[in-house]
Amino acid sequence: MAIRGWLTAGLVGLLSGLVVVPAYAAQPAFVVKQGVSQPVHSLADAVRETVWVDIGLDLDNNGVGDRVAADIVRPATTGRVPVIIDASPYYSTSGRGNEAERKSYDSAGLPVKFPLFYDNYFVPRGYAVALVDFSGSNRSTGCMDTGGRSEIASGKAVVDWLNGRATGYSAASGGTAKTASWSTGAAAMIGKSWDGSITHGVAATGVDGLRTIVPISAISSWYDWFRSDGVSLRGFGTPTSLASGFENSNAQSRCGAVRSEMTNGAPSNGDYTAMWQQRDFVRNASKVKAAVFSVNGRADLNVKPVNWGQWLDAIPASVPRKLWLSQTGHIDPFDFRRAEWVRTLHRWFDRWLLDVQNGIENEPRVSVERGVNQWADSPTWPPSGVQSQRVYPVAGSVAGVGTLSQTPGSSTSSFTDNGSGTASSFIASPNATSARRVLYSTGPLASDVRIAGISNLTVAVTPSAPTAHLSAFLVDYGPATIRSSTGEGIRTLTNETCWGENRPGDDGCYRETEATTSSVDATIIARGWADLANYSSLSTPRTLTPGTKYTMNFRLYAADYVVPRNHRLALVIAPTDTSATTSPSQLPRITVHLAETSIQLPLIGSLRQAATHPAPEATRVQQDIVPGQFR
């Protein structure tokens, strides 16, 4: 039997506690058949409006509260509806999605073009969609502060307004008050990249009414986008430089104080400061109540995989969660698994915003692309059966090449930072001595081994100079066909498929994609970078004394990866990775003390070796991925 949104508010509240609609509504707000909400509303007749919501700040110091513009499209129904929110700085600049769609408006200023397919697909099914301009961008007032309090308020204030706790207006200044009497108060936040990052920040406030977030390739700590354990990442600049490309004219002229605060709080030496702490959403993740559906790319060197791993580790165990992990780089699931993504997202929103008891929360939580377009599901995250195992590098008969062992080795091994090493060069020729790295591996594995979580490296080293940067890579040596770095793993085709209804100025049709692939003999599973000067503190660097031994702990990125039987698992330790990090002021020779160096691995399975036979020489390696524009 269909579940009808025109049931009385009392009955719906009794059944679900989530969806509240007016008694005796003249038209159904939503209809569910065969377990999913149905398209019962016309997108052509939908209500389109803009509401400017006061976020409770005045960062542009004009004596008036800052307001964010929320462009809303909602069904023309007297029943109340939930809201899907995508807050972004990109709507008038870089655009959204693979086709870089921007917002557009008619002559009266009403929104016409809503980027992405959310409005086309979900509004007919009884949802409203609100696309929010970050403060200081597009039609919003205030300042852009790159992950800071104004940005989080840009999303939280809209959720509060939907629940009657904030004030909305009909204009960016002045205007009349507007309420969300049409809303149930139930909200979701979704978004890729910067848009997704704000979902983390808003959820970490614990705001009531936010029922779920869907962060896609999203930052959970802004320090980990710009920096890595004390070292600055090449090409990522500062929060100030990032914001400057998306500010509107008001922000450009009035927000100098905010820009100075960000600049002063992001020293080039990579230190962790109070400015970074404010932009660390993981530290408040214990407040999260919203269900989390996290989508990420294994090869994403824009928003690095450490961000999803530390976020899922930090949210309360009681929070419902789902994880998709593709082989792609910085790509939306709409462009690598489209039909399954729309189907799954539809059921996810139905469950948490309409309280449709479809059981999606009881289905496998983890879906990982093990081979190109080959997906494997597992029931939980963190996965059951993971055991933390520490292994040690042990010297072999070839200088700088050895084995991984469960017991510590002895002696030392050295390499030199010549200022030109890259990830692909460090992992090449694994059986040969290299002056630029050391490499330790298992023999061919007797069975598959799954690495699921964040690996942690403890390294004891002696530098020959007063500055030193370190890089580390966990590598699968063995033949494989994977998504290539070309197009971050996809190629855009010419044919289109349509998702939802079309209306003049806003269709739901998008170009299809296909995977780009490479045949390789080595695949990087996880990587990490660090500045040895921060060996004892990320916030306070120490001057290094040449010839003195230092011990440092740093993370490698989160992973869910299966090393196949007969492949080898290796740890590569190297100096500056110039494809990713800045170089130290003086290039050192670095000596690694093997007995005091180890890596803690989150493993399912055993590192037991198969029958010994010569390992193949790797000649085809995973290529370095140069991060593209952050969007």
Side-chain angles (χ1 to χ4, degrees):
M1 180 179 294
I3 301 172
R4 296 186 178 274
W6 43 261
L7 295 174
T8 64
L11 178 56
V12 171
L14 178 64
L15 290 174
S16 68
L18 288 177
V19 181
V20 181
V21 297
Y24 312 116
Q27 184 178 0
F30 68 94
V31 172
V32 174
K33 292 181 180 178
Q34 299 179 333
V36 292
S37 57
Q38 299 296 307
V40 295
H41 301 286
S42 168
L43 185 63
D45 296 335
V47 177
R48 293 175 290 124
E49 61 184 334
T50 302
V51 176
W52 281 265
V53 180
D54 192 314
I55 65 173
L57 299 170
D58 181 19
L59 292 191
D60 60 9
N61 290 312
N62 65 355
V64 180
D66 298 336
R67 298 179 184 180
V68 293
D71 291 318
I72 298 166
V73 56
R74 54 187 173 87
T77 175
T78 53
R80 295 187 181 184
V81 298
V83 186
I84 299 166
I85 302 168
D86 188 336
S88 177
Y90 297 121
Y91 287 128
S92 63
T93 50
S94 299
R96 304 311 298 128
N98 192 38
E99 299 177 32
E101 294 183 316
R102 300 181 184 183
K103 288 180 176 178
S104 68
Y105 303 89
D106 64 18
S107 59
L110 291 175
V112 175
K113 178 64 176 178
F114 284 74
L116 307 174
F117 77 101
Y118 305 140
D119 61 313
N120 307 89
Y121 188 85
F122 286 105
V123 171
R125 288 166 169 80
Y127 293 85
V129 172
L131 303 186
V132 180
D133 299 325
F134 279 7
S135 59
S137 74
N138 200 18
R139 300 205 296 173
S140 294
T141 64
C143 300
M144 292 192 66
D145 62 352
T146 312
R149 54 181 181 149
S150 178
E151 187 169 304
I152 304 312
S154 295
K156 181 179 180 295
V158 174
V159 177
D160 283 334
W161 174 70
L162 293 170
N163 287 274
R165 299 187 298 265
T167 305
Y169 296 91
S170 61
S173 62
T176 58
K178 299 187 71 171
T179 63
S181 58
W182 47 266
S183 169
T184 65
M189 292 192 71
I190 188 172
K192 177 195 166 207
S193 200
W194 203 340
D195 306 18
S197 306
I198 193 177
T199 76
H200 285 148
V202 176
T205 69
V207 60
D208 289 334
L210 183 61
R211 301 293 170 80
T212 184
I213 62 170
V214 185
I216 302 166
S217 298
I219 296 164
S220 59
S221 171
W222 278 89
Y223 179 86
D224 292 315
W225 192 72
F226 289 98
R227 308 286 188 258
S228 177
D229 286 293
V231 67
S232 294
L233 296 173
R234 186 180 298 276
F236 286 82
T238 67
T240 304
S241 63
L242 180 61
S244 65
F246 306 99
E247 293 175 311
N248 58 26
S249 57
N250 176 73
Q252 289 171 356
S253 63
R254 303 193 63 90
C255 296
V258 174
R259 287 191 289 272
S260 294
E261 178 186 354
M262 291 192 293
T263 298
N264 294 336
S268 60
N269 64 3
D271 286 356
Y272 187 84
T273 65
M275 191 277 298
W276 294 123
Q277 184 182 56
Q278 182 193 132
R279 290 157 174 81
D280 179 2
F281 310 138
V282 177
R283 66 191 178 98
N284 289 318
S286 61
K287 298 179 183 178
V288 173
K289 297 179 290 187
V292 176
F293 187 174
S294 181
V295 182
N296 307 276
R298 187 185 79 200
D300 189 348
L301 289 189
N302 187 323
V303 174
K304 280 67 71 178
V306 71
N307 281 281
W308 69 260
Q310 64 191 5
W311 176 257
L312 292 182
D313 283 350
I315 62 176
S318 58
V319 170
R321 68 193 67 195
K322 199 169 185 68
L323 168 66
W324 276 18
L325 185 61
S326 74
Q327 288 192 2
T328 66
H330 198 60
I331 299 295
D332 192 294
F334 189 74
D335 295 311
F336 63 72
R337 202 185 185 190
R338 184 168 297 180
E340 182 64 14
W341 170 242
V342 176
R343 186 188 76 85
T344 305
L345 186 65
H346 182 182
R347 295 179 64 235
W348 186 262
F349 282 156
D350 278 357
R351 173 64 184 91
W352 301 114
L353 297 183
L354 298 179
D355 197 36
V356 176
Q357 300 298 316
N358 55 27
I360 194 169
E361 73 276 21
N362 301 318
E363 296 173 2
R365 293 181 176 180
V366 186
S367 190
V368 180
E369 188 181 19
R370 301 292 184 200
V372 177
N373 290 323
Q374 298 172 3
W375 293 79
D377 294 343
S378 54
T380 61
W381 186 270
S384 59
V386 172
Q387 294 184 333
S388 181
Q389 184 170 332
R390 186 173 293 278
V391 295
Y392 302 84
V394 176
S397 59
V398 176
V401 178
T403 60
L404 289 176
S405 171
Q406 293 183 336
T407 57
S410 59
S411 73
T412 61
S413 193
S414 300
F415 52 80
T416 300
D417 191 343
N418 64 5
S420 64
T422 64
S424 59
S425 67
F426 292 144
I427 71 173
S429 303
N431 302 319
T433 297
S434 170
R436 297 193 293 181
R437 54 97 168 121
V438 292
L439 186 153
Y440 306 91
S441 71
T442 67
L445 296 171
S447 58
D448 293 355
V449 173
R450 182 178 174 188
I451 298 169
I454 296 175
S455 300
N456 289 276
L457 178 67
T458 300
V459 62
V461 297
T462 297
S464 66
T467 59
H469 291 172
L470 296 169
S471 305
F473 307 90
L474 201 59
V475 185
D476 168 12
Y477 283 104
T481 298
I482 64 173
R483 288 185 184 259
S484 73
S485 59
T486 303
E488 306 228 35
I490 67 167
R491 177 185 298 109
T492 304
L493 306 176
T494 57
N495 61 300
E496 290 187 333
T497 56
C498 301
W499 303 86
E501 291 187 19
N502 299 333
R503 63 177 174 80
D506 187 354
D507 67 40
C509 301
Y510 296 88
R511 294 166 67 185
E512 282 283 348
T513 70
E514 64 181 7
T516 59
T517 62
S518 295
S519 295
V520 298
D521 293 312
T523 304
I524 294 176
I525 301 167
R527 64 188 85 199
W529 306 282
D531 184 343
L532 188 59
N534 294 96
Y535 67 92
S536 65
S537 169
L538 283 184
S539 59
T540 306
R542 302 287 194 269
T543 300
L544 303 177
T545 301
T548 300
K549 180 174 64 178
Y550 299 94
T551 300
M552 185 173 188
N553 299 295
F554 63 96
R555 303 163 299 167
L556 275 63
Y557 288 168
D560 190 333
Y561 185 93
V562 174
V563 183
R565 177 178 177 271
N566 287 327
H567 284 210
R568 294 188 297 158
L569 175 65
L571 170 66
V572 178
I573 303 173
T576 305
D577 173 6
T578 57
S579 64
T581 64
T582 58
S583 298
S585 58
Q586 297 183 50
L587 298 175
R589 181 170 175 79
I590 295 174
T591 299
V592 182
H593 300 266
L594 301 184
E596 300 162 74
T597 296
S598 63
I599 186 167
Q600 193 88 20
L601 301 172
L603 295 181
I604 298 177
S606 169
L607 295 179
R608 184 171 56 89
Q609 295 180 195
T612 302
H613 57 78
E617 184 77 11
T619 57
R620 301 171 299 169
V621 301
Q622 183 181 22
Q623 295 300 303
D624 300 322
I625 301 172
V626 180
Q629 186 178 22
F630 174 47
R631 66 179 184 86

